[in-house]
Amino acid sequence: MSGVRTHARRLGALIMLLVATLCLAGCGSSSDPTRTGPLPGTDRPPVTIGDKNVPEQFVLGELYDLALTAQGYSVTLNPNIGPTAVSFQALNSGRLDMYPEYVDVWNTFVAGYQHGFPTEHAAVAAARAFARTHGLVLLRPTPFSDTNAVAVTRAYGLAHGLNAIGDLRQVSAELNFGAPTQFQYSSVGLNPIERAYGFTPRTVTTLNTGAQYQALSTGAVQAAWMTTTDGELAGNTFRMLRDPQHVVGFGNALPVVPAKVLAAEGPDFRLTINRVTRLLTLKAIRRLNADVELYNEMPAVVAKQFLQAHGLVPRGS
């Protein structure tokens, strides 16, 4: 009889542990059906979130908007805030309360740094230091980095053992490289990449932006410029070559928020934004971009599905 009681106690303890674990994982989230009381954003000042007029930024804006709205914040989304200089002024004037910016863009065009940075940590630290002097806070950077990149077809890469940009040295005698004019002459484009990795293509073909994937697929070029978060890289057709020397810099997205807005909105505002940001791996953003750019899904739809899948927006909302 005592053995039965012991077994029952152990079973009860396991059930209590399971309940506690589930609560730690889900209790307090926006999708928790047992939640009572007001949401964290209730009665907080309304906020305006902005994004730039490109598909990836549309997705980012929708992700932050929907996640904050699910927490009770009153959010207005401005889907075309203009160039970086305009956005910076809007933050300082109070016309804008948050928008996602890329660390290399911030450091170059806002902070005015004329040099690169050896690590992502150093780039983010410099960006944050400048932001603080203007009463701004740069929140957690995304795991993904959106920068220039070099890619080949997976088949060509496997055939020639190409994994990093420097590996192009072994095929440079036959290499036709495809790129738009701006990449050929950019400070983080083809010329510095050639110098850093010691290869010179046999020829360079000028391509319009967006034409590089077709050119690679048909064999018109063997390597081409693209950006790291392109939706085409979500599949198995193309292979992005690693840039171990970080010649192209760091393009992690950081939500920019005035310090006074963070204080007014309370700690859950920052926490909600950071929860979204943590999910944005390179694989995740490529898939989101592919859904919008290649399969013509609406940014709001793919953002909502993504957040629902991760429990940040209630299903059926």
Side-chain angles (χ1 to χ4, degrees), residues 294-312:
L294 304 183
Y295 306 119
N296 300 314
E297 296 283 350
M298 295 298 294
V301 173
V302 301
K304 186 174 185 179
Q305 292 171 343
F306 180 80
L307 294 174
Q308 287 176 332
H310 290 87
L312 296 185

Side-chain angles (χ1 to χ4, degrees), residues 151-220:
V152 296
T153 64
R154 185 168 296 274
Y156 187 80
L158 287 172
H160 297 278
L162 306 178
N163 297 293
I165 297 175
D167 295 336
L168 291 173
R169 290 191 299 269
Q170 61 203 42
V171 295
S172 59
E174 65 177 43
L175 186 67
N176 184 10
F177 194 101
T181 301
Q182 63 267 29
F183 180 74
Q184 295 179 39
Y185 300 102
S186 169
S187 61
V188 288
L190 184 57
N191 289 336
I193 286 174
E194 288 176 355
R195 290 194 299 270
Y197 291 107
F199 80 95
T200 302
R202 179 177 61 85
T203 55
V204 177
T205 297
T206 299
L207 299 172
N208 293 328
T209 300
Q212 64 267 42
Y213 294 103
Q214 179 68 17
L216 282 170
S217 296
T218 62

Side-chain angles (χ1 to χ4, degrees), residues 98-178:
M98 193 271 275
Y99 85 102
E101 185 58 273
Y102 302 100
V103 64
D104 54 356
V105 174
W106 180 272
N107 281 337
T108 301
F109 297 104
V110 178
Y113 299 128
Q114 300 299 312
H115 57 82
F117 295 90
T119 65
E120 176 191 324
H121 177 78
V124 171
R128 283 177 167 158
F130 180 86
R132 282 194 298 271
T133 64
H134 291 79
L136 302 172
V137 178
L138 303 185
L139 301 184
R140 175 190 291 269
T142 58
F144 80 78
S145 175
D146 182 344
T147 64
N148 289 331
V150 175
V152 296
T153 64
R154 185 168 296 274
Y156 187 80
L158 287 172
H160 297 278
L162 306 178
N163 297 293
I165 297 175
D167 295 336
L168 291 173
R169 290 191 299 269
Q170 61 203 42
V171 295
S172 59
E174 65 177 43
L175 186 67
N176 184 10
F177 194 101

Side-chain angles (χ1 to χ4, degrees), residues 91-102:
L91 286 169
N92 286 319
S93 69
R95 291 180 287 111
L96 185 65
D97 298 304
M98 193 271 275
Y99 85 102
E101 185 58 273
Y102 302 100

